[in-house]
Amino acid sequence: ADAAFTLESAEGIKKTILHGGTGDIPRFIAGTKVTFHFRTQLCDDERTVIDDSKAVGTPMEVVLGNMFKLDIWETLLASMRIGEVAEFWCDTIHTGVYPLVSKSMRRIAEGKDPVEWQVHTCGMANMFAYHSLGYDDLDQLMKEPQPLYFVLELLRVQQPSEYSRESWALSDEERLKVVPVLHGQGNKLFKQGHYQEATQKYKEALICIKNVQTKEKAWDVPWLKLEKMANTLTLNYCQCLLRMEEYYEVIEHMTDIVNQHPGMAKAYYLRGKAHKEVWNEAEARQDFTKVLDLDPGMKKAVKKELAVLGMRMEEKNQEDKNKYKGIWPPPPAPPPGTPPSRRARSPGTT
């Protein structure tokens, strides 16, 4: 039978079970991944639908304890069984940030900012930064907050150990623990020649580091430690790009590093290799010279690269000569008896 009651853990909520679920209420702990459908309705006579995940065709996923902007949903879901469908009336104190969450979810459905709604920011603070959310119905809700109905259908509950969490679903501590694992996986893939797969591991590790680093004060010791880790991963990432012949991207990434850290010999070395591959002789020589200034221990590697560069440039110059050879027609033969001073000269001769 349908049951209506107020959740004990929160005021301003009334729950009505529309379809009973099965089994006991699952364990809902930090890190639990919850998959569910939702429908949001106004409390008017028509029960006007604002959002409906079934209409979009994709259920919602939330990782508990990951600072999802509409934290009241965590409370609602924690009262449900698998397969249960329930309607929750929520007072204005719980629905003030819904317009922001709705905007993010609509953008996800449109293929934009796929993890925007997981950003670790305070929804209420962000509300004041917006003049318009880009949707008339949400702008109206933001101006005049009101109670809402949420109809939720709980599809699946996965404990932290039961699924592979993406980097956005990790805490800062977990992110730092997973970095060396991803780094090692990337190195292994690189040695096996799987460069594309290796870049994905390095990129994921870099995202983890940068997410944590943004919370540190720039150039302080914790920030610098993370920066060193990030630079090492970027160097590895660019080693893959060199093998994949993505030379201009290597030049771009290494230039970013040397601008911030002008003492990194390996960054100049990789940029020099990339310049060499795209025939930028002067830039390559300049970078290799800088490497020798910063790290004389790399003399053997640099000498080898310079030798290859010299050989390549000789070949290119010879190719150019052959290419342009005969571009000017030979001068016509002078008529018999023409004095030497009046003979035709080749173009470009004096």
Short mmCIF file of all heavy atoms in Angstrom, two decimals, residues 5 73 90 106 117 127 156 180 200 209 218 223 262 266 281 306 318:
data_model
loop_
_atom_site.label_atom_id
_atom_site.label_comp_id
_atom_site.label_asym_id
_atom_site.label_seq_id
_atom_site.Cartn_x
_atom_site.Cartn_y
_atom_site.Cartn_z
N PHE A 5 4.83 9.72 4.59
CA PHE A 5 5.44 10.06 5.87
C PHE A 5 6.55 11.06 5.65
O PHE A 5 7.03 11.26 4.54
CB PHE A 5 5.98 8.81 6.58
CG PHE A 5 7.03 8.08 5.78
CD1 PHE A 5 8.37 8.36 5.92
CD2 PHE A 5 6.65 7.08 4.88
CE1 PHE A 5 9.31 7.68 5.19
CE2 PHE A 5 7.59 6.41 4.14
CZ PHE A 5 8.94 6.70 4.30
N TRP A 73 19.13 15.06 -2.43
CA TRP A 73 18.85 13.82 -3.15
C TRP A 73 19.54 12.63 -2.49
O TRP A 73 19.02 11.52 -2.51
CB TRP A 73 19.31 13.95 -4.62
CG TRP A 73 18.25 14.56 -5.50
CD1 TRP A 73 17.08 15.11 -5.10
CD2 TRP A 73 18.29 14.67 -6.93
NE1 TRP A 73 16.37 15.57 -6.19
CE2 TRP A 73 17.09 15.31 -7.32
CE3 TRP A 73 19.20 14.30 -7.90
CZ2 TRP A 73 16.79 15.59 -8.65
CZ3 TRP A 73 18.91 14.58 -9.23
CH2 TRP A 73 17.71 15.21 -9.60
N CYS A 90 9.39 18.33 -1.42
CA CYS A 90 10.48 18.99 -0.71
C CYS A 90 10.22 20.48 -0.62
O CYS A 90 9.93 21.14 -1.64
CB CYS A 90 11.81 18.75 -1.42
SG CYS A 90 12.35 17.03 -1.38
N ARG A 106 20.88 19.53 -17.92
CA ARG A 106 20.40 19.78 -19.28
C ARG A 106 21.59 19.93 -20.25
O ARG A 106 21.54 19.47 -21.38
CB ARG A 106 19.53 21.04 -19.31
CG ARG A 106 18.20 20.86 -18.62
CD ARG A 106 17.36 22.13 -18.68
NE ARG A 106 16.15 22.01 -17.86
CZ ARG A 106 15.16 22.91 -17.84
NH1 ARG A 106 15.25 24.01 -18.59
NH2 ARG A 106 14.12 22.74 -17.06
N TRP A 117 28.37 19.12 -13.26
CA TRP A 117 27.59 19.04 -12.03
C TRP A 117 28.35 18.39 -10.89
O TRP A 117 27.90 18.40 -9.75
CB TRP A 117 26.28 18.29 -12.27
CG TRP A 117 26.43 16.96 -12.92
CD1 TRP A 117 26.48 16.71 -14.26
CD2 TRP A 117 26.57 15.69 -12.28
NE1 TRP A 117 26.64 15.36 -14.49
CE2 TRP A 117 26.68 14.72 -13.30
CE3 TRP A 117 26.60 15.28 -10.95
CZ2 TRP A 117 26.84 13.37 -13.02
CZ3 TRP A 117 26.75 13.94 -10.68
CH2 TRP A 117 26.86 12.99 -11.71
N MET A 127 25.02 30.84 -7.44
CA MET A 127 23.77 31.41 -7.95
C MET A 127 23.90 32.91 -8.18
O MET A 127 23.37 33.46 -9.12
CB MET A 127 22.62 31.15 -6.97
CG MET A 127 22.07 29.74 -7.05
SD MET A 127 20.64 29.54 -6.00
CE MET A 127 19.42 30.47 -6.90
N ARG A 156 20.07 1.09 -9.20
CA ARG A 156 21.25 0.31 -8.83
C ARG A 156 22.05 1.04 -7.76
O ARG A 156 22.15 2.26 -7.77
CB ARG A 156 22.13 0.08 -10.07
CG ARG A 156 23.32 -0.83 -9.85
CD ARG A 156 23.96 -1.27 -11.16
NE ARG A 156 24.54 -0.16 -11.91
CZ ARG A 156 24.06 0.32 -13.04
NH1 ARG A 156 22.96 -0.20 -13.57
NH2 ARG A 156 24.64 1.33 -13.67
N PRO A 180 50.37 7.28 -8.81
CA PRO A 180 51.48 6.38 -9.14
C PRO A 180 51.01 5.09 -9.84
O PRO A 180 51.76 4.52 -10.64
CB PRO A 180 52.12 6.08 -7.79
CG PRO A 180 51.13 6.47 -6.75
CD PRO A 180 50.31 7.56 -7.36
N GLN A 200 46.41 8.04 -22.41
CA GLN A 200 45.19 8.12 -21.61
C GLN A 200 45.48 7.97 -20.13
O GLN A 200 44.88 8.65 -19.28
CB GLN A 200 44.18 7.05 -22.08
CG GLN A 200 43.69 7.24 -23.51
CD GLN A 200 43.12 8.63 -23.77
OE1 GLN A 200 42.32 9.13 -22.98
NE2 GLN A 200 43.56 9.26 -24.84
N ILE A 209 46.14 15.13 -10.42
CA ILE A 209 47.10 16.05 -9.78
C ILE A 209 46.60 17.48 -9.86
O ILE A 209 46.63 18.22 -8.87
CB ILE A 209 48.49 15.92 -10.45
CG1 ILE A 209 49.12 14.57 -10.09
CG2 ILE A 209 49.41 17.06 -9.99
CD1 ILE A 209 50.40 14.28 -10.82
N ALA A 218 49.75 28.68 -5.01
CA ALA A 218 50.78 28.57 -6.04
C ALA A 218 52.17 28.86 -5.49
O ALA A 218 52.36 29.82 -4.73
CB ALA A 218 50.46 29.50 -7.20
N TRP A 223 52.32 22.76 -3.38
CA TRP A 223 52.02 23.04 -4.79
C TRP A 223 53.20 22.61 -5.67
O TRP A 223 53.01 22.00 -6.73
CB TRP A 223 51.73 24.52 -4.96
CG TRP A 223 51.25 24.94 -6.32
CD1 TRP A 223 49.96 25.05 -6.75
CD2 TRP A 223 52.08 25.30 -7.45
NE1 TRP A 223 49.92 25.47 -8.06
CE2 TRP A 223 51.20 25.63 -8.52
CE3 TRP A 223 53.45 25.39 -7.65
CZ2 TRP A 223 51.67 26.04 -9.77
CZ3 TRP A 223 53.92 25.79 -8.90
CH2 TRP A 223 53.04 26.10 -9.95
N PRO A 262 62.28 27.29 -16.41
CA PRO A 262 63.33 27.39 -17.44
C PRO A 262 64.55 26.52 -17.19
O PRO A 262 65.44 26.46 -18.03
CB PRO A 262 63.70 28.88 -17.40
CG PRO A 262 63.21 29.39 -16.10
CD PRO A 262 62.03 28.57 -15.72
N LYS A 266 65.17 18.35 -19.72
CA LYS A 266 64.46 17.33 -20.50
C LYS A 266 63.35 17.95 -21.35
O LYS A 266 63.04 17.44 -22.43
CB LYS A 266 63.88 16.26 -19.57
CG LYS A 266 64.95 15.34 -18.99
CD LYS A 266 64.35 14.24 -18.14
CE LYS A 266 65.43 13.32 -17.60
NZ LYS A 266 64.88 12.27 -16.71
N GLU A 281 65.35 23.95 -37.93
CA GLU A 281 66.76 23.72 -37.58
C GLU A 281 67.26 24.67 -36.51
O GLU A 281 67.87 24.25 -35.52
CB GLU A 281 67.65 23.85 -38.83
CG GLU A 281 69.12 23.58 -38.53
CD GLU A 281 70.02 23.78 -39.74
OE1 GLU A 281 69.56 24.34 -40.75
OE2 GLU A 281 71.19 23.36 -39.65
N LEU A 306 72.07 16.05 -32.66
CA LEU A 306 72.64 17.07 -33.53
C LEU A 306 73.20 16.44 -34.81
O LEU A 306 73.11 17.02 -35.90
CB LEU A 306 73.73 17.86 -32.80
CG LEU A 306 73.22 18.86 -31.75
CD1 LEU A 306 74.38 19.41 -30.94
CD2 LEU A 306 72.45 20.00 -32.42
N GLN A 318 70.02 19.09 -50.24
CA GLN A 318 70.30 18.45 -51.52
C GLN A 318 69.02 18.22 -52.31
O GLN A 318 68.96 18.42 -53.52
CB GLN A 318 71.02 17.11 -51.29
CG GLN A 318 71.55 16.45 -52.56
CD GLN A 318 72.53 17.35 -53.30
OE1 GLN A 318 73.46 17.88 -52.70
NE2 GLN A 318 72.31 17.54 -54.60
#
